[in-house]
Amino acid sequence: MEETISMRELFAVLRKRLWLIVLITIIAATVSGVISFFVLTPVYESKTQILVNQAKNDQQLYNTQTVQTNVQLINTYNDIITSPAILDKVIKELNLDKSAQSLSGQIQVTSAQDSQVAQIVVQDTSAKRAAQIANTTASVFQKQVPKLMNVDNVKVLSKATVGESASPIKPQPLLNIAIAVVVGLMVGIGLSFLLEYLDNTLKTEQDIENILDLPVIGVVTNIKDVPKPSNVSRPDVAARVPQRGETYGS
């Protein structure tokens, strides 16, 4: 027999286990908030921009081929910036207690398509240190490029700065809590339907008809309010005991 579930039955299941869905959602949101505010370490981000451009003289004019060459050089420069040849000097200059490989994981070099501007993005648990790493990396790279590539075509466009009220980029507590609420709702709803599916008890006459395919002839109701018999004796009868030769009422 093919079973079909109507929308009314689905909503009935959700309403029946609404407390479970709400409880799981509240727990998920609470755990996410506690972890976001008190457990996870805030991470700050700082950026600096460099320009890859050949120096122009009176005999040399900018053309499409020169610009394209500079754009292609950016891909090479991206690898050089995160290499130990640059980062070892950054670590030494800032006295950082980490390896070049570890520092490389904090640095990301990005550039727009067909753009001669590259952006050095640094993430760190300290906003001030993130700005120092970004600026020092750009400065060291600018000094080392002529030695490594025999070209002097890198200029620093903008330096990283630390604002008075620097805010971390992660964690984002409100976003994490919102995600936790959605996940909690999904888990609560899924668990509600799973419990309903595993519950094979018969609760109503309709369940009996659907499973046994037989009509229900009679139903024994559950009577909750049944008056209790009174055990209090009549005072006039208990006080009057008949003597020999007497009858009740005499």
Side-chain angles (χ1 to χ4, degrees):
M1 181 178 61
E2 184 179 357
E3 296 183 358
T4 58
I5 301 178
S6 64
M7 292 297 296
R8 180 176 297 179
E9 293 175 338
L10 294 178
F11 283 112
V13 173
L14 296 178
R15 185 175 61 180
K16 175 183 176 182
R17 304 191 184 274
L18 181 61
W19 64 272
L20 179 63
I21 299 174
V22 174
L23 179 62
I24 293 178
T25 303
I26 292 176
I27 292 176
T30 303
V31 172
S32 176
V34 170
I35 293 176
S36 299
F37 282 108
F38 302 106
V39 177
L40 297 180
T41 303
V43 176
Y44 298 87
E45 185 178 85
S46 194
K47 305 176 183 178
T48 183
Q49 289 181 322
I50 59 175
L51 173 65
V52 179
N53 192 22
Q54 298 288 348
K56 186 181 72 171
N57 52 39
D58 295 338
Q59 289 77 27
Q60 181 182 5
L61 297 176
Y62 289 124
N63 53 56
T64 305
Q65 184 177 359
T66 303
V67 174
Q68 188 63 30
T69 301
N70 293 332
V71 172
Q72 293 174 354
L73 278 175
I74 289 181
N75 296 327
T76 302
Y77 289 168
N78 291 352
D79 296 330
I80 295 177
I81 290 174
T82 56
S83 67
I86 303 298
L87 298 185
D88 283 340
K89 292 180 172 58
V90 174
I91 293 173
K92 184 178 180 180
E93 186 170 338
L94 296 177
N95 294 323
L96 300 176
D97 186 17
K98 59 182 64 182
S99 63
Q101 183 178 2
S102 176
L103 183 59
S104 175
Q106 298 180 234
I107 299 176
Q108 183 180 8
V109 184
T110 61
S111 60
Q113 186 176 3
D114 299 332
S115 174
Q116 295 178 250
V117 178
Q119 189 169 238
I120 300 175
V121 183
V122 179
Q123 295 183 357
D124 195 87
T125 54
S126 170
K128 181 179 180 181
R129 188 166 56 242
Q132 290 176 343
I133 294 175
N135 291 330
T136 304
T137 302
S139 176
V140 171
F141 175 68
Q142 185 181 17
K143 295 176 183 178
Q144 294 299 317
V145 162
K147 301 177 183 180
L148 298 174
M149 300 287 293
N150 290 325
V151 291
D152 187 8
N153 61 346
V154 176
K155 296 180 180 179
V156 178
L157 283 182
S158 62
K159 293 185 177 182
T161 59
V162 181
E164 295 181 357
S165 59
S167 58
I169 59 169
K170 58 183 180 180
Q172 298 179 349
L174 295 181
L175 178 61
N176 293 344
I177 292 175
I179 295 175
V181 168
V182 175
V183 174
L185 287 173
M186 294 174 61
V187 172
I189 293 174
L191 185 59
S192 298
F193 285 116
L194 177 62
L195 293 176
E196 189 67 21
Y197 175 77
L198 296 177
D199 187 4
N200 56 3
T201 58
L202 302 177
K203 299 181 178 62
T204 63
E205 300 88 349
Q206 187 66 31
D207 295 338
I208 299 175
E209 292 182 352
N210 294 334
I211 295 176
L212 301 180
D213 197 18
L214 295 173
V216 177
I217 300 176
V219 177
V220 178
T221 61
N222 185 14
I223 303 176
K224 297 181 180 180
D225 299 329
V226 179
K228 297 181 180 180
S230 178
N231 294 326
V232 180
S233 59
R234 294 177 56 184
D236 56 341
V237 176
R240 179 74 170 130
V241 179
Q243 301 299 325
R244 176 180 292 182
E246 293 183 348
T247 59
Y248 285 106
S250 59

